[in-house]
Amino acid sequence: MTLRKVAMLGLAAGMAVVPVTAAIAAKVVVVRSIGPSAKTYPPGKALSDSTSIKLEGGDIVTLIGPGTFTAATPNAQMAMASGRRGRFGALRTGEVAKNPSLWDLDATQNGKMCIADASKLNLWRPNAETAAKISISGGGKSQTAEFGAGENKLAWPAKLPVKDGSEYQVTWVESGERNKMNFVTVSSPPTDLPGAAQLLIEKGCEYQLDLLVDSAAKAR
């Protein structure tokens, strides 16, 4: 069974291990790993050419990388129909999505955020149906900004410095909801999916990693 772009393999209850061979000619990176084999295939691990991946029951492993992935198990069709004990996902490589940019800030999120170019940094929001006013505070400074109705992107206020380790809080004025962000600046960010995934894992920018994986899956 040959799987392209996005592949998922489910193991039947009676199966314990399945070999999955990735025939690849470039870097493939583990981006998500859950289950007994998570220590063997931790997020951020780069796999060499023709790596053989063995999954146990309960494993879920997602890769980003180019090439054709083959699930080598005698009862693959039965397994996919009968159970979900183990899963293997492969996201085909490509360029990092630009809309919304991976390196912009989702104003509705919390945690570490990787910043590639402070001079071009934007704030964006997933829901742009109505106007919304926000207050941004940190480092002893604060600034207000407003999303117009139908507008989902704003330039980061020039008066608020973007530095490695900076901490800011975004307060949504109408609802009072608060989101806290910690900035991690990166130089020369990779434009390919495997490289970007490795960087985000290394820096701990989990939300952006999820965005990267979800965007790659939707593009399949």
Side-chain angles (χ1 to χ4, degrees):
M1 179 174 58
T2 300
L3 313 175
R4 294 181 181 274
K5 293 188 178 179
V6 175
M8 286 294 179
L9 174 66
L11 300 183
M15 297 181 182
V17 180
V18 57
V20 182
T21 301
I24 55 178
K27 182 168 60 178
V28 171
V29 175
V30 178
V31 292
R32 291 175 179 166
S33 184
I34 301 173
S37 301
K39 292 183 179 180
T40 304
Y41 306 110
K45 181 174 182 177
L47 304 179
S48 60
D49 293 356
S50 301
T51 296
S52 180
I53 301 174
K54 292 186 178 181
L55 302 183
E56 300 182 29
D59 280 338
I60 301 176
V61 177
T62 303
L63 311 177
I64 280 185
T68 299
F69 297 82
T70 301
T73 178
N75 299 306
Q77 291 183 346
M78 180 194 74
M80 294 189 74
S82 302
R84 295 289 175 182
R85 292 286 301 281
R87 293 196 302 173
F88 169 77
L91 305 179
R92 189 177 178 182
T93 191
E95 292 186 353
V96 175
K98 296 180 174 61
N99 187 24
S101 171
L102 179 68
W103 308 111
D104 285 340
L105 298 178
D106 184 339
T108 66
Q109 298 298 317
N110 297 281
K112 287 186 177 181
M113 298 291 173
C114 288
I115 310 298
D117 187 344
S119 66
K120 297 180 180 179
L121 182 61
N122 291 306
L123 282 164
W124 69 278
R125 58 174 179 162
N127 187 343
E129 292 183 5
T130 61
K133 189 174 183 179
I134 60 175
S135 174
I136 308 169
S137 58
K141 298 182 179 181
S142 63
Q143 180 80 34
T144 58
E146 186 170 356
F147 291 98
E151 184 178 37
N152 67 352
K153 185 180 291 189
L154 288 174
W156 179 263
K159 293 182 179 179
L160 301 180
V162 177
K163 299 179 180 179
D164 189 59
S166 297
E167 297 184 6
Y168 283 100
Q169 177 174 281
V170 176
T171 302
W172 297 82
V173 176
E174 184 174 349
S175 66
E177 182 179 352
R178 299 176 180 180
N179 300 103
K180 295 183 179 180
M181 305 176 184
N182 300 80
F183 290 172
V184 180
T185 58
V186 298
S187 58
S188 302
T191 58
D192 64 295
L193 293 179
Q198 275 192 309
L199 175 66
L200 295 174
I201 292 170
E202 176 187 344
K203 300 297 184 181
C205 299
E206 296 181 3
Y207 168 72
Q208 286 161 294
L209 177 65
D210 288 342
L211 180 62
L212 179 74
V213 174
D214 291 344
S215 296
K218 291 176 182 178
R220 68 187 187 276

